Amino acid sequence: MFLFTFMLKNKCKAIQPFFKSQKLPAMKYKILTWIFALAFIGLGCEDSLKLEEDVRISEEEIEVLEDCQNNPIRTQKQIEANLIGNWKLVGYACGNCIDGKSPRASITFRAEEGQIQYDDGFEQIDAEFSWRIEASNNIFGEPTLALKTEPILPGLFAEVFCQDYMAYNNTPVDGPLLIYAKQ
């Protein structure tokens, strides 16, 4: 921020007369710096829900997930039994992620182990993992049951479990929303 403020005061010819003619206290410089920084950030933002054709969050999936959040599978044993099988990433959004193509992922869960194929345009992963469901707190501090894996791998998170869907939503802190459907 200091560098940005310095640039505003000393390098930007268009606004330099404003700074020279006004004897602004340091706080006003900071406020102007934040305003200009937010304007530049806002100009660079894109709609994070503009996804490639085959990975979109449809209205139907949003409704299914809302229903899932209201009526989830609630016990550890039921979640573990339901996870066994093949899953595919069907929906993705991101609060503040690096531009790139939308991830592609498929997961196979077996008893206590699994395999993921994941490609987000930056890294391609084909890895084995061990997994468990354990009590945890979500990003709001509320108790939840969460998928934990060893090793921790991109795209392999879930905190909402239903019969045919599992999801992870970390968008409130600029992370991803991942929606997997059972195949």
Side-chain angles (χ1 to χ4, degrees), residues 64 73 82 87 161-166 180-183:
V64 167
I73 298 174
N82 187 62
W87 296 78
F161 303 93
C162 298
Q163 190 63 34
D164 296 320
Y165 288 90
M166 67 176 175
Y180 287 92
K182 196 165 191 179
Q183 302 298 295

Side-chain angles (χ1 to χ4, degrees), residues 3-171:
L3 182 62
F4 192 69
T5 304
F6 178 80
M7 182 184 78
L8 285 175
K9 290 193 313 189
N10 299 311
K11 303 292 182 193
C12 296
K13 302 284 186 216
I15 61 171
Q16 203 168 20
F18 174 77
F19 283 104
K20 286 184 177 179
S21 67
Q22 305 287 326
K23 300 291 183 200
L24 298 174
M27 181 55 101
K28 287 188 181 178
Y29 284 128
K30 288 179 184 177
I31 291 170
L32 285 173
T33 300
W34 280 104
I35 290 170
F36 282 112
L38 291 173
F40 286 126
I41 290 169
L43 291 174
C45 290
E46 294 182 21
D47 182 357
S48 65
L49 293 178
K50 289 182 181 174
L51 304 171
E52 293 183 17
E53 216 171 279
D54 55 341
V55 180
R56 295 186 188 271
I57 299 171
S58 68
E59 288 296 321
E60 180 181 321
E61 287 170 327
I62 291 171
E63 289 175 19
V64 167
L65 287 173
E66 287 174 349
D67 183 51
C68 184
Q69 288 177 324
N70 293 330
N71 302 299
I73 298 174
R74 296 193 185 273
T75 70
Q76 181 176 346
K77 294 282 187 211
Q78 288 175 325
I79 292 170
E80 290 169 348
N82 187 62
L83 283 181
I84 304 299
N86 298 314
W87 296 78
K88 182 179 177 184
L89 183 65
V90 295
Y92 173 82
C94 195
N96 189 23
C97 294
I98 299 171
D99 288 339
K101 69 180 194 177
S102 300
R104 302 287 178 264
S106 61
I107 305 170
T108 300
F109 287 96
R110 298 178 295 277
E112 298 180 13
E113 60 184 32
Q115 182 163 358
I116 183 171
Q117 288 85 36
Y118 178 87
D119 181 358
D120 67 0
F122 297 103
E123 59 184 324
Q124 296 174 343
I125 298 169
D126 186 351
E128 297 277 330
F129 59 89
S130 61
W131 65 273
R132 67 192 178 284
I133 298 297
E134 69 178 41
S136 181
N137 289 327
N138 65 19
I139 61 172
F140 302 109
E142 301 163 340
T144 188
L145 292 171
L147 173 65
K148 301 292 181 178
T149 64
E150 288 293 329
I152 297 171
L153 296 165
L156 193 50
F157 306 100
E159 290 181 340
V160 178
F161 303 93
C162 298
Q163 190 63 34
D164 296 320
Y165 288 90
M166 67 176 175
Y168 176 76
N169 186 2
N170 207 26
T171 56

